[in-house]
Amino acid sequence: MSGRAPVGLRAPGVDSEGERMQVHSVVDGPADGDVVVLAGSIGSNLTMWEPQVEPLVREGYRVVRYDQRGHGRTAVPDGDATMADLGGDVLELLDGLGVDRAHFVGLSLGGMTGMWLGSHAPERLRSLVLCCTSAKLGTPESWFERGRTAREQGMTAIADGSIERWFTPDWLASHPQERREYHHMTAA
């Protein structure tokens, strides 16, 4: 296993203050299956991947889902987080599970994490799937405004806007239960 940070970057799984970062994860499937890591979007938690778990496990994969920093049951560390921090968290998670290489599926922020892994730790990847992502998502101004709204009014204030970007109006209208579940996940 690699376990070492690429040159010039912090050690995997260490936050900006040098403290160890423990991401919350759930592992399903056979211990000897090829590992598939599922990394979610900003404002989500690992439950977003529940519909994909059973089909992957049925095909023999070992499925690893995790909550990114500040999401779900993973703590919010002090200081700013970089893509190197988020990628390092994945490397630390893989090392902790004894996994040398994994398939990686990333959605939005999870895809950005996957891009970092592909650039800085390609030897740890069997394959890389990037969904609805970009090397640059939005403008600094749009993220500043969303952050300000969340800090001042709470996550509920931005939850609907998030899920309305994720799903089409027709899908949201025809899936009211799922809409409520995604709203709850994003607002939490």
Side-chain angles (χ1 to χ4, degrees):
M1 281 175 273
S2 170
R4 291 186 304 259
V7 176
L9 301 172
R10 280 195 283 277
V14 174
D15 70 16
S16 60
E17 305 298 316
E19 298 292 321
R20 281 264 190 247
M21 190 65 213
Q22 235 13 89
V23 297
H24 171 68
S25 64
V26 173
V27 180
D28 295 285
D32 62 346
D34 282 350
V35 173
V36 177
V37 177
L38 303 175
S41 61
I42 196 164
S44 71
N45 62 43
L46 58 77
T47 63
M48 71 168 287
W49 296 107
E50 286 179 3
Q52 289 74 36
V53 173
E54 184 184 332
L56 288 167
V57 169
R58 192 171 44 244
E59 292 298 317
Y61 290 100
R62 183 177 180 202
V63 180
V64 177
R65 299 174 286 154
Y66 73 100
D67 291 330
Q68 300 227 34
R69 292 168 181 238
H71 292 73
R73 292 174 51 191
T74 296
V76 179
D78 292 334
D80 294 335
T82 66
M83 291 312 303
D85 293 324
L86 299 180
D89 293 344
V90 174
L91 296 176
E92 182 75 16
L93 176 60
L94 291 175
D95 288 347
L97 295 171
V99 175
D100 289 326
R101 298 178 72 219
H103 301 284
F104 188 91
V105 179
L107 176 67
S108 190
L109 176 62
M112 295 173 84
T113 305
M115 285 185 243
W116 185 91
L117 291 166
S119 284
H120 298 283
E123 72 282 358
R124 302 300 299 269
L125 300 177
R126 290 182 180 274
S127 65
L128 178 59
V129 178
L130 305 173
C131 307
C132 300
T133 192
S134 173
K136 179 183 176 192
L137 291 174
T139 64
E141 296 80 19
S142 69
W143 288 109
F144 177 78
E145 181 61 26
R146 282 175 73 186
R148 185 184 62 73
T149 301
R151 283 188 299 279
E152 292 175 2
Q153 301 174 35
M155 290 299 291
T156 300
I158 64 171
D160 284 332
S162 293
I163 62 174
E164 288 166 3
R165 280 188 291 280
W166 295 348
F167 303 104
T168 66
D170 288 345
W171 189 91
L172 289 170
S174 63
H175 295 86
Q177 177 62 31
E178 289 88 346
R179 180 188 184 123
R180 283 189 293 279
E181 290 170 6
Y182 283 112
H183 175 89
H184 177 73
M185 174 187 69
T186 306

